[in-house]
Amino acid sequence: PKTANVLRDGVETTVPVEEVSVGDLFVVRPGESIPVDGEVVEGTSAVDESALTGESIPVDKEPGSRVSGATINASGFLKCRATRVGQDTTISQIIQMVEDAAATKAPIAKIADKVSGVFVPVVIVIAVITGGVWLAAGNAFGFALARAISVLVISCPCALGLATPVAIMVGNGLSARHGILFKTAASLEAAGRVRTVVLDKTGTITEGKPHVTDIICADGVSEDQLLQAAGALEGPSEHPLARAIVNHMTDRLPEGTCIANASEFKALPGAGVEGVIAGHKAWGGNAALMKEKKLLSRAMEQRGAELAREGKTPLYFAYENQLLGIIAVADVVKEDSAAAIRELQHMGIEVIMLTGDNGRTAAAIARETGVDGVVSDVLPQEKEAVIRSLSERGSVAMVGDGINDAPALTRADVGIAIGAGADVAIDAADVVLMKSSLMDVVRSIRISRQVIRNIHQNLFWAFIYNIIGIPLAAGLWYVLGGPLLNPMFGAAAMSLSSFCVVSNALRLNLFKPESTITDGVWKRKAEKNPLPESEYTNVNNFAGEPENDIIEETTGGTIMKKTLTIEGMMCKHCQAHAEKALNAMEGVTATVDLEAASAYCEVEEGVTDEMLKAAIAEAGYEVTAIQ
């Protein structure tokens, strides 16, 4: 943000953000960006923090809540007190990290530069030796000079000099026609050497905005009744979840139909909304609100918990003391994300999801898309640290779109930004995907690999040409009874070699960087523990895409899905400690949800409930139920 609306002497004044001081009061209206880090002193709202945290669902704010600069106020009016300004804000610290990472990133050496540095002096030495040998053998000076000149002419390094830049130029043009922009020749060259692709979740794998995914009606209630009540209740609300329900409702209705809003509408911060529909009270919100109204049945509560485990946000609706049902809202996966991930894996590339979103949502998206691993609940600086660690194992590409991805994009060997993302992410990246499709990540790597292959072909033929041509120009074949090369023919041969190199590079225009596998033909190879658990306590790896409670393995055994209810966890540290204890067990993959006080486990045959309880007890907590 460039400006801030500051309250000074009770008067609201718009000032440059640089003039905001710690302790100043500032106001933020719906749709505006929060200028600096601060604390809410008045008002309630939902703030979109996805640019910084990766959390796709806006976070509710009330007096006492902290807000960060560069996040967006999505609904209500907020009055805040500035706590960190200037270089101390979260966004400024991220910018500093981007600059630091850029300063330490090593440039990629060009093959042709290394070859030319050796080739030219070697050829000059060969030419001098050739002339000297022929003179020493008693030949005329003109004959010896002609042989030396032939060596210099036929070995002119034009073909070597053209091998790399022409291929890169054609490759850049090819990628641009597919909506892929490589900022430098180094990034085009580096993309083909990537062995690990790290994907951000929100806005990269997913759409980045909530959509209605499930509609569950209570007994005796029709879907139309539930949607009409939900649409009337959520119509006056500016909350993004409410907008998702209203948009879904609008899409279902005939064009031009209006949704009647509830009267006496009232927002219930942290719980939901209430209003009056046709003279009767109605409510919409979370499970806690329904429990307070004593309207939530055990069956519907369990169904909502299942939706939550799938990474969705269940919203309950009631009318006239009757629960109508649940509408689940979630940030949905893009249509081509799963296919793109399968393509990358088919190419021998490990795919990891790195997100600031919560572990439950990340695990659900990971299962749906089939990534090899996921790291969740990470801050921007932690994303950068994960990329730095992964880089020690091989070349890494980071794909992201938010401000929070910028440090990781810069630290990665190849940073790839989604074109619809934040400006700072696009600026930090080496490659920009204009169509915002993950399939273009596949295309960019394929184009890069093809360009590298073309460069190697050009260098090979340039070398073969010189290996054959230099002895011929020097007169070695003449000594063995062969022909003697005229310097003019040497010049023509040199030109022909350059022509061949350029023609080979132009063949890149015929390359089609499309899919090489067919859905249903190729099955992804499972890989256990692609990331070192000793470094990441919140890594969850998925060996398949479970659809049922029991998943048969190729070994003939089974994997069971179990839910553990855990008591004693108080904070994120407790969550990580319990999760680490479960994942340390052989044959167990677990995700722990602090809010639900539950652990969601996939256990192999032979792992008993007693073993799970013992692991949690050793970590200092208690398992009260296992389902």
Side-chain angles (χ1 to χ4, degrees), residues 566-589:
I566 303 174
E567 284 191 357
M569 296 189 300
M570 304 296 292
C571 61
K572 288 282 187 181
H573 176 74
C574 297
Q575 175 187 353
H577 191 47
E579 196 169 86
K580 185 174 182 180
L582 289 171
N583 284 308
M585 299 175 63
E586 185 68 22
V588 177
T589 301

Side-chain angles (χ1 to χ4, degrees), residues 284-300:
N286 56 25
L289 176 63
M290 295 299 135
K291 286 181 179 179
E292 179 186 333
K293 304 298 180 183
K294 297 181 180 180
L295 299 174
L296 186 60
S297 66
R298 177 65 177 169
M300 293 300 281

Side-chain angles (χ1 to χ4, degrees), residues 35-92:
V36 296
D37 293 2
E39 182 178 338
V40 178
V41 296
E42 184 181 320
T44 59
S45 180
V47 175
D48 182 356
E49 297 184 337
S50 60
L52 289 178
T53 66
E55 178 74 50
S56 55
I57 303 301
V59 180
D60 291 329
K61 300 294 182 181
E62 58 186 16
S65 301
R66 295 190 176 277
V67 293
S68 299
T71 58
I72 299 173
N73 182 18
S75 53
F77 177 87
L78 292 176
K79 181 188 292 186
C80 310
R81 178 176 288 105
T83 57
R84 291 193 297 179
V85 301
Q87 297 301 314
D88 296 328
T89 62
T90 303
I91 183 64
S92 295

Side-chain angles (χ1 to χ4, degrees), residues 246 265 313 436 601:
V246 173
F265 174 83
T313 302
S436 302
C601 306

